[in-house]
């Protein structure tokens, strides 16, 4: 790369980031510790209640189902990894949507941040990492619950924690970018309108094979399905080519979301 090209790119990069993501995260942690810790903890219980009701309760009626690699597993052990993926998604998406929406449209926090040396990439990465932290906590806590219930059968299940972080990263980065287009609380309800069907149809509670082929293809385009399948494979230590497909899906989702969020913040506040 020539010196001229480097000089041309430097102002562009400087306008996007100052390298001070830590300042954004420091503020976020102070708010969590002083004000929002109850909100942070409350979101953990939803997948646990689903596990107790569906996995333990209805699981006694279902018995065993076919798991990754064709091996039979208990119904509770079948849905537990799916609910772990859902827990990571919920923690990341709610922090990167409703929390970001308030800061963006009401507190006007991002406008104030971008009046300092911070760039839109600093703000985007800082907020995404905060949402990632929430998803990580949910995943870690839920893994402890399923381990206590005896639903962890392989040491490979420890990889579900970094996998949950990857899932949370994809949803957080994309969720923040989408939220930047929304301007009213009524529009924010669209997020729940998308999340609930995605949770119900992404083979979380029953195998995808129950659907016709054309519906299966639609489901396999959803991000949560990839997270669910990745978690199920890790829970029993079964790996194939699709393991890489699921992982790469979230890496691509993260890159797309980060670019979208950065460009949106720049267009909104740095015109």
């Amino acid at each position: 790369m020539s010196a001229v090209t480097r000089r041309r790119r430097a102002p562009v990069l400087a306008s996007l980031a100052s390298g001070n993501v830590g300042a954004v995260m420091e503020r976020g942690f102070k708010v969590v510790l002083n004000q929002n810790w109850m909100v942070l903890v409350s979101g953990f219980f939803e997948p646990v209640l689903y596990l107790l009701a569906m996995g333990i309760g209805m699981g006694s009626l279902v018995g065993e189902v076919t798991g990754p690699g064709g091996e039979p597993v208990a119904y509770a052990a079948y849905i537990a990894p799916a609910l772990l993926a859902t827990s990571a998604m919920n923690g990341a998406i709610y922090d990167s949507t409703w929390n970001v929406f308030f800061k963006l449209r009401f507190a006007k926090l991002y406008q104030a941040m971008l009046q300092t040396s911070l760039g839109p990439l600093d703000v985007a990465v800082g907020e995404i990492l905060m949402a990632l932290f929430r998803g990580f906590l949910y995943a870690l806590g839920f893994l402890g619950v399923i381990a206590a219930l005896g639903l962890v059968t392989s040491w490979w299940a420890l990889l579900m924690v970094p996998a949950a972080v990857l899932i949370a990263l994809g949803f957080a980065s994309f969720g923040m970018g989408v939220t930047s287009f929304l301007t009213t609380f009524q529009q924010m309800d669209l997020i729940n309108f998308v999340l609930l069907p995605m949770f119900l149809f992404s083979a979380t509670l029953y195998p995808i094979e129950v659907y016709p082929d054309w519906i299966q293809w639609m489901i396999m385009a959803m991000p949560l399905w990839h997270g669910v399948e990745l978690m199920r494979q890790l829970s029993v230590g079964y790996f194939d080519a699709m393991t890489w497909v699921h992982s790469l899906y979230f890496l691509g989702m993260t890159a797309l979301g980060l670019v979208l969020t950065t460009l949106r913040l720049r267009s909104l506040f740095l015109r």
Side-chain angles (χ1 to χ4, degrees):
M1 184 186 300
S2 68
V4 174
T5 303
R6 286 195 296 270
R7 284 195 296 269
R8 287 176 179 173
R9 290 186 179 181
V12 176
L13 294 176
S15 67
L16 294 178
S18 66
N20 198 14
V21 175
V24 181
M25 296 185 65
E26 180 181 359
R27 181 204 171 275
F29 281 120
K30 286 181 178 179
V31 171
V32 169
L33 291 175
N34 295 328
Q35 300 177 16
N36 290 348
W37 66 272
M38 278 298 295
V39 176
L40 181 70
V41 172
S42 63
F44 161 74
F45 292 100
E46 181 180 356
V48 174
L49 294 177
Y50 266 109
L51 177 63
L52 295 177
M54 303 297 292
I56 307 300
M58 196 174 74
S60 60
L61 303 176
V62 175
E64 293 185 336
V65 296
T66 304
E71 295 295 326
V73 295
Y75 182 68
Y78 179 77
I79 69 169
L83 293 174
L84 178 55
T86 303
S87 182
M89 176 191 74
N90 287 343
I93 205 72
Y94 288 128
D95 207 68
S96 64
T97 55
W98 286 99
N99 189 27
V100 166
F101 179 76
F102 177 78
K103 294 176 182 177
L104 181 65
R105 302 299 178 184
F106 292 92
K108 307 296 183 182
L109 180 63
Y110 299 142
Q111 292 92 319
M113 285 183 173
L114 293 174
Q115 297 306 311
T116 68
S117 61
L118 294 173
L121 186 58
D122 296 314
V123 176
V125 172
E127 290 292 345
I128 289 169
L129 289 177
M130 286 303 303
L132 187 64
F133 173 72
R134 184 170 179 173
F136 168 73
L137 288 183
Y138 285 4
L140 197 61
F142 191 77
L143 181 60
V145 170
I146 63 177
L149 292 174
L151 301 178
V152 175
T153 59
S154 170
W155 285 104
W156 287 108
L158 293 175
L159 291 179
M160 290 196 292
V161 173
V165 171
L166 178 62
I167 293 169
L169 183 59
F171 278 105
S173 58
F174 202 75
M176 187 175 179
V178 170
T179 302
S180 67
F181 289 93
L182 306 179
T183 58
T184 66
F185 283 110
Q186 290 75 17
Q187 291 176 343
M188 289 295 293
D189 287 336
L190 293 173
I191 294 173
N192 290 331
F193 183 77
V194 172
L195 289 183
L196 183 58
M198 185 164 59
F199 165 69
L200 293 175
F201 286 94
S202 293
T204 49
L205 304 176
Y206 39 80
I208 193 175
E209 288 78 15
V210 303
Y211 298 110
D213 289 343
W214 66 273
I215 295 182
Q216 290 185 34
W217 284 107
M218 293 177 60
I219 293 172
M220 287 189 287
M222 298 179 182
L224 183 57
W225 178 81
H226 288 274
V228 167
E229 292 300 305
L230 178 61
M231 286 296 193
R232 282 198 177 122
Q233 290 185 339
L234 293 175
S235 69
V236 297
Y238 174 81
F239 305 98
D240 59 11
M242 287 301 297
T243 308
W244 291 104
V245 173
H246 301 319
S247 302
L248 291 173
Y249 184 99
F250 284 102
L251 289 176
M253 186 178 177
T254 299
L256 179 62
L258 186 58
V259 171
L260 175 63
T261 301
T262 301
L263 294 180
R264 278 294 294 165
L265 290 178
R266 185 181 185 186
S267 66
L268 285 172
F269 306 127
L270 297 178
R271 295 174 180 173

